[in-house]
Amino acid sequence: MIEQLINKDNILIIIPVFNESGRIGILIENLKSVGFQNILVIDDGSLDNSISEAIFNGAIVIRHLLNRGAGAATETGLEYFRTNEKYKFAVTIDGDNQHDPIDIEFLLDKHIEENADITIGNRFMSKDNNIPGIRRFYNFLADILTSFFVLKKVNDSQSGFKAWSRKATRTIHIEQDGYDFCSEVIIKAYHSKLKIINVPITVYYPENYSDKGQNLNQGIKTALNIVYHSLFKN
């Protein structure tokens, strides 16, 4: 059985966090309730109580003194994974409780079964997910640009919910500090001939989360960065 291949002691959960007080503690509790004890929080210069909540709930915490961006925080987490050989797989997950920790086992099941290098938790593969229109638009734009640079159709390029093999983390080093890092990862993975698969996940967007994520200016900046770095930095 695939389930027997998953040793949760060998899994590192990486959570980039910026101002997630009131959410990060709940997420850590939920992760532990489904058996994941190795939890690394990268606090990206939060100005609230995110760090104290993460420490209180038993996570390992690495802090950026300044807010550098989701890409920089994710790379810090992956570097920690690279230097700790006791972990076999890394899972990156957003810190705002939009993802369901129960989906991690399914993500890892498919990751192992398909011998994948990167497994993306795809929000758009489930018709039951109620995704705000503005987020659909930002993701659609990023998908078009990412697909152009890999010459292959990409869906949900901006998902932060991923399982990573050691090969993937050795091959890919994230250089972009901002949200465009998600496209950077996919573009580098395809160019390095890594195996990427997608699996459906559940996602939640309560009304009080509407201020999280990208606004219009950030969305345009992300799109321009994808183009610039793909043309001139790869």
Side-chain angles (χ1 to χ4, degrees), residues 96-129:
D96 57 4
N97 278 327
Q98 68 170 274
H99 299 134
D100 191 335
I102 293 176
D103 285 338
I104 295 175
E105 288 195 48
F106 177 63
L107 200 75
L108 289 169
D109 281 348
K110 294 300 181 182
H111 187 78
I112 294 170
E113 182 180 354
E114 298 291 334
N115 194 27
D117 294 305
I118 296 177
T119 299
I120 298 173
N122 192 313
R123 295 166 289 179
F124 299 97
M125 290 177 72
S126 173
K127 295 181 180 179
D128 294 332
N129 289 332

Side-chain angles (χ1 to χ4, degrees), residues 132-199:
I134 192 65
R135 290 184 180 242
R136 288 182 177 273
F137 172 74
Y138 291 147
N139 203 87
F140 175 72
L141 179 60
D143 286 349
I144 291 175
L145 294 173
T146 306
S147 298
F148 175 79
F149 288 109
V150 300
L151 301 178
K152 184 174 182 178
K153 184 177 181 180
V154 174
N155 185 249
D156 205 1
S157 61
Q158 304 307 290
S159 174
F161 192 6
K162 298 181 178 74
W164 302 68
S165 69
R166 282 211 160 267
K167 179 181 177 182
T169 63
R170 288 194 302 265
T171 303
I172 297 173
H173 290 259
I174 297 170
E175 299 177 87
Q176 310 314 317
D177 286 353
Y179 287 107
D180 46 316
F181 88 94
C182 286
S183 290
E184 176 195 358
V185 166
I186 293 174
I187 292 168
K188 286 183 173 180
Y190 274 115
H191 289 175
S192 299
K193 301 188 185 306
L194 298 180
K195 183 175 182 179
I196 303 176
I197 65 172
N198 287 255
V199 300

